[in-house]
Amino acid sequence: TIEAVGFLQSIPLWLVTFIGSLFITILSFILIMTVYGRFFRLLFVHLVGNVENFLPIVMLLPKPLH
């Protein structure tokens, strides 16, 4: 069993655990960034697509003096 493993023999187990945890963390980060990246892309496309709705407000602003 795992309790019978000595200190030096347990180092490879630590390495496997550390590498596995690192792998899962990196995959989770990539998954989260992919989902949020798609969300923000949709959000920006929606906001940029609605710029013409805000043009009447822009027309009411004072004109700059040259």
Side-chain angles (χ1 to χ4, degrees), residues 22-66:
L22 192 65
F23 181 71
I24 290 172
T25 304
I26 291 172
L27 281 181
S28 299
F29 182 74
I30 290 171
L31 179 67
I32 289 170
M33 292 308 293
T34 301
V35 170
Y36 278 119
R38 289 180 182 176
F39 169 74
F40 283 118
R41 187 178 309 138
L42 287 173
L43 178 68
F44 289 142
V45 166
H46 176 72
L47 290 177
V48 169
N50 288 333
V51 168
E52 61 270 3
N53 294 337
F54 300 111
L55 285 179
I57 297 172
V58 173
M59 298 290 185
L60 295 175
L61 295 175
K63 303 283 187 265
L65 298 174
H66 292 288

